[in-house]
Amino acid sequence: MKRKAIYKLSFKEYLKAMMIFIVFIMICSISFFFYIKKDIENESVNKVVVKTEKQTESLKQYIDIQYRYLEGIGNHISQQDLFCEDNINLIHSIKKYTKLENVGIIDKNGESHYDNGAVKNVSHREYFQEALKGNRVLSAPLESVIAGKTRVIIAVPIYDQQKEIVGVIGGSYDIGDLNKIVFRGIYDGKGSAFLVSKEGQLITYDNAVKNKDFLASESIYSYFAEYNVLSPDDLQSLKQKFIK
């Protein structure tokens, strides 16, 4: 009887130890997978951040080259009548060396002469008004009356020899071409990416973006809110980061 009691006691202690061991293993496993998952998430986020920073810098450098190119042309054409034949021929040749389309010379009144012979007044356009203040401008997407397509405009002021602004020179990018510039080689062909304004409005996206609800949404903020992609706090945090 005494031996049986000792056996039962030992078996209970064994089961107790095994249960403690199993619980310990479970806790360790859960903790391990939790931290591994967290590490993978952090690594993925860091990769996206690094890729985005590189792509942003690449886009900035590309646009900066276009600014300087147009500024050089502007310095040359300001030495004579803005709309003279030589200047029109010059902006016509710009298309051979850049992806700019519908290059135009604009006087201070907003009258614009394009490389294709079209003439239009653009005094109401925001990009013209900003460039006339002495700013380099990359516009938000707009419907081009000349091209009949959605374009973004790049424009710079034209200065005369006295450093006075006498007009604006600019050209447009087809959204498809801008798309190729922004997303070339990104993520090694995996995943998808898009470019939005700080207001959350979609500017352009690569062909891998297939979500029709996302593409049709008023902004990424409204999409995230409607489909609960982000919590209200996370969405507000995202907006603040965009503004900064």
Side-chain angles (χ1 to χ4, degrees):
M1 291 288 295
K2 189 174 182 181
R3 187 174 296 178
K4 280 186 177 182
I6 293 173
Y7 174 77
K8 286 182 178 180
L9 182 63
S10 299
F11 185 70
K12 286 182 179 180
E13 290 296 324
Y14 173 76
L15 283 178
K16 183 178 179 181
M18 283 298 297
M19 289 297 295
I20 293 173
F21 177 73
I22 290 171
V23 170
F24 174 75
I25 291 297
M26 288 178 65
I27 291 173
C28 289
S29 298
I30 292 170
S31 299
F32 175 76
F33 285 113
F34 173 78
Y35 286 112
I36 285 293
K37 181 175 180 292
K38 203 68 179 174
D39 285 343
I40 292 173
E41 288 177 353
N42 290 335
E43 184 180 354
S44 298
V45 169
N46 288 336
K47 282 184 178 181
V48 171
V49 170
V50 169
K51 285 277 189 180
T52 303
E53 288 175 346
K54 286 183 178 179
Q55 214 64 20
T56 300
E57 192 58 36
S58 175
L59 179 61
K60 284 181 178 178
Q61 290 175 1
Y62 182 88
I63 297 300
D64 185 63
I65 291 172
Q66 306 307 302
Y67 281 141
R68 286 186 276 125
Y69 183 75
L70 287 178
E71 285 167 347
I73 299 295
N75 289 336
H76 178 76
I77 66 177
S78 66
Q79 298 174 21
Q80 49 194 333
D81 178 68
L82 290 182
F83 302 137
C84 70
E85 186 178 353
D86 286 344
N87 286 347
I88 299 301
N89 289 335
L90 180 60
I91 63 171
H92 183 75
S93 67
I94 289 177
K95 294 171 67 172
K96 296 179 181 179
Y97 305 102
T98 71
K99 289 185 176 293
L100 286 170
E101 298 183 6
N102 300 121
V103 180
I105 301 172
I106 315 169
D107 67 13
K108 292 183 69 173
N109 297 318
E111 183 179 332
S112 180
H113 289 229
Y114 294 92
D115 60 279
N116 62 1
V119 178
K120 178 177 170 54
N121 191 286
V122 296
S123 57
H124 63 290
R125 292 290 199 181
E126 186 178 354
Y127 69 83
F128 167 72
Q129 296 168 3
E130 284 299 312
L132 210 57
K133 295 175 184 177
N135 300 320
R136 289 173 162 182
V137 181
L138 179 63
S139 78
L142 50 83
E143 290 299 319
S144 172
V145 176
I146 300 298
K149 298 179 180 178
T150 303
R151 296 289 177 83
V152 290
I153 310 296
I154 180 173
V156 299
I158 300 172
Y159 292 92
D160 63 13
Q161 300 304 307
Q162 287 72 44
K163 303 301 180 183
E164 296 289 332
I165 295 176
V166 295
V168 171
I169 181 171
S172 65
Y173 277 110
D174 181 274
I175 287 293
D177 287 334
L178 182 64
N179 189 52
K180 293 174 185 176
I181 295 168
V182 176
F183 301 122
R184 58 188 174 193
I186 196 168
Y187 305 128
D188 301 319
K190 300 174 183 177
S192 59
F194 53 89
L195 182 66
V196 298
S197 68
K198 67 179 180 181
E199 291 79 22
Q201 294 177 328
L202 189 65
I203 294 175
T204 186
Y205 54 90
D206 67 13
N207 293 329
V209 180
K210 303 295 185 183
N211 188 325
K212 292 182 180 179
D213 292 324
F214 175 79
L215 298 178
S217 61
E218 182 180 344
S219 73
I220 63 168
Y221 302 141
S222 61
Y223 172 79
F224 287 164
E226 182 177 357
Y227 293 95
N228 297 317
V229 178
L230 295 176
S231 69
D233 288 341
D234 287 340
L235 187 56
Q236 185 60 35
S237 175
L238 177 65
K239 289 181 180 179
Q240 292 300 320
K241 290 177 180 177
F242 266 50
I243 292 171
K244 291 178 181 179

